[in-house]
Amino acid sequence: MKILSFITLFSLIIISALYPYVLTALSETSYPVEFLLEGPVIVNVIYNNSDILIDRNTTLTLSGEVTLKALPISLGYVVLIDGRKVSNTSLNINGPTTINVTAITSYVNLSIHIFGKGIVTVQLSNGSSYYISENKTFTVENYSFIYINVPFDQNVVFNHDIKSNFYVMLVNGSTSVNVTFLPNKNISSHAKMSLNMTGIALGIIALAFYLFFRRKSSSN
């Protein structure tokens, strides 16, 4: 009887000692994480103080805190992780996950095609502004915002179907923008001033969006 009591007591002590570890193991469920790589890029996955280097589409079983560090393996490329222009980030894995890592060229061509007569202002992400009245191609930073506008006393169509006097775009690869000047509308001088002020305000809003997204990407 004493032996049975001793065994029961010993079993309870063992269970009590192991209970926190069992509970932790049950709570740390691992999940499949699919890494989809596109372009010349490698990814270092830092998990449980270990480094896992991947250079192709791979599925790993992970959970909890994971740090990713991605590097382009060719000159003239930058990295996007899940569409964000960052080279490293930390994630909390709490379910099946797909992570897209893409290497894109650092700079691309932006061609402005002008139809009709008028002045177009092109503002690049580095703050440079250009005034053009004929076709021109710029070398711009890939995955950056571009702001294009014309005076508000002009009747303009962008890309054949957008009737506006300003155009904001996120450049992702070499591309072109068509600016078509239509016959002028009869607008009073007071209306012209009001529209020009509106154009300035819209330009400030576009620039604010650009700075916000750039700061957000840099902080990550």
Side-chain angles (χ1 to χ4, degrees), residues 145-202:
F145 283 96
I146 305 297
Y147 175 61
I148 305 171
N149 75 290
V150 299
F152 268 74
D153 59 354
Q154 298 290 318
N155 191 11
V156 177
V157 175
F158 288 93
N159 289 342
H160 307 298
D161 58 0
I162 302 174
K163 194 172 184 179
S164 175
N165 291 82
F166 71 97
Y167 188 73
V168 181
M169 64 180 297
L170 177 63
V171 176
N172 187 7
S174 294
T175 188
S176 62
V177 176
N178 297 319
V179 184
T180 304
F181 286 86
L182 302 177
N184 284 340
K185 297 175 287 187
N186 294 322
I187 302 177
S188 66
S189 59
H190 177 74
K192 288 180 182 179
M193 181 178 295
S194 176
L195 288 171
N196 280 325
M197 292 302 295
T198 303
I200 293 172
L202 290 171

Side-chain angles (χ1 to χ4, degrees), residues 6-57:
F6 175 77
I7 293 174
T8 302
L9 178 61
F10 182 75
S11 300
L12 290 174
I13 293 173
I14 295 298
I15 292 173
S16 298
L18 294 179
Y19 179 76
Y21 299 98
V22 173
L23 186 63
T24 300
L26 290 174
S27 63
E28 291 184 352
T29 304
S30 296
Y31 303 95
V33 179
E34 185 179 15
F35 292 87
L36 300 179
L37 276 58
E38 183 178 348
V41 62
I42 57 173
V43 181
N44 184 25
V45 182
I46 303 173
Y47 175 66
N48 280 347
N49 297 320
S50 299
D51 291 351
I52 306 170
L53 193 65
I54 58 177
D55 60 359
R56 66 196 68 186
N57 294 346

Side-chain angles (χ1 to χ4, degrees), residues 110 112 120-124 128-130 132 138 146-148:
L110 171 66
I112 309 295
V120 177
T121 303
V122 181
Q123 183 173 331
L124 306 184
S128 301
S129 293
Y130 298 89
I132 61 174
F138 300 90
I146 305 297
Y147 175 61
I148 305 171

Side-chain angles (χ1 to χ4, degrees), residues 33-114:
V33 179
E34 185 179 15
F35 292 87
L36 300 179
L37 276 58
E38 183 178 348
V41 62
I42 57 173
V43 181
N44 184 25
V45 182
I46 303 173
Y47 175 66
N48 280 347
N49 297 320
S50 299
D51 291 351
I52 306 170
L53 193 65
I54 58 177
D55 60 359
R56 66 196 68 186
N57 294 346
T58 304
T59 299
L60 302 176
T61 302
L62 308 170
S63 66
E65 182 90 8
V66 175
T67 299
L68 308 180
K69 294 185 177 181
L71 291 172
I73 55 177
S74 295
L75 294 176
Y77 283 81
V78 293
V79 173
L80 304 179
I81 299 179
D82 282 340
R84 294 182 299 143
K85 197 174 181 179
V86 294
S87 58
N88 63 81
T89 188
S90 294
L91 303 172
N92 185 31
I93 305 300
N94 53 19
T97 307
T98 299
I99 300 173
N100 294 280
V101 183
T102 307
I104 62 173
T105 53
S106 302
Y107 292 91
V108 294
N109 291 327
L110 171 66
S111 298
I112 309 295
H113 301 296
I114 299 177

